[in-house]
Amino acid sequence: MAAYLIVDLDRLLRQFNERSFPVDLQEMAVALRGRAALAAGVSSEQLKAIAAADWSIHRDQQPRLEQTFRAARYDLFTIPKSGTLADNLHGYYFANDPDKVSELILVTVD
């Protein structure tokens, strides 16, 4: 049994910026991971958390997004310019995981 949290970071940040909604990204990352683990019924260590984004466009932001999400124990997944997030995640994570996916929590605005 495997539990995944996938955060579509680009879309979330775009939505927050469009609505002028201030967000403490460290608090958000930690809270999302903790609540997803609770919802999935697993410990936070058992949850596979993934922050998906086009990381090249976030390199200049302070505090650095990469560091923030790495510190919260997320895998950083670069969304390729071509293709879809779902197909790329499946090929990289799910197809190679020997455990059956029991919980999949997706955080996005769409």
Side-chain angles (χ1 to χ4, degrees), residues 8-86:
D8 187 350
L9 196 56
D10 285 338
R11 291 185 183 173
L12 282 179
L13 293 177
R14 188 173 27 246
Q15 185 81 355
F16 293 149
N17 288 333
E18 287 173 0
R19 295 179 186 235
S20 299
F21 189 78
V23 174
D24 182 321
L25 294 173
Q26 182 177 7
E27 281 186 27
M28 181 184 80
V30 172
L32 285 173
R33 185 181 180 88
R35 290 181 179 140
L38 183 64
V42 298
S43 70
S44 184
E45 291 77 28
Q46 292 174 305
L47 181 74
K48 297 174 185 176
I50 302 163
D54 180 357
W55 291 101
S56 65
I57 65 172
H58 299 293
R59 299 255 188 255
D60 298 331
Q61 291 187 358
Q62 295 298 329
R64 294 192 58 148
L65 284 177
E66 290 182 27
Q67 292 172 346
T68 300
F69 279 85
R70 277 195 178 116
R73 298 183 325 237
Y74 283 74
D75 286 347
L76 304 183
F77 184 78
T78 300
I79 298 173
K81 301 236 185 273
S82 62
T84 65
L85 175 61

Side-chain angles (χ1 to χ4, degrees), residues 75-77 87-97:
D75 286 347
L76 304 183
F77 184 78
D87 290 339
N88 288 290
L89 283 169
H90 181 270
Y92 191 80
Y93 285 98
F94 309 134
N96 298 319
D97 194 338

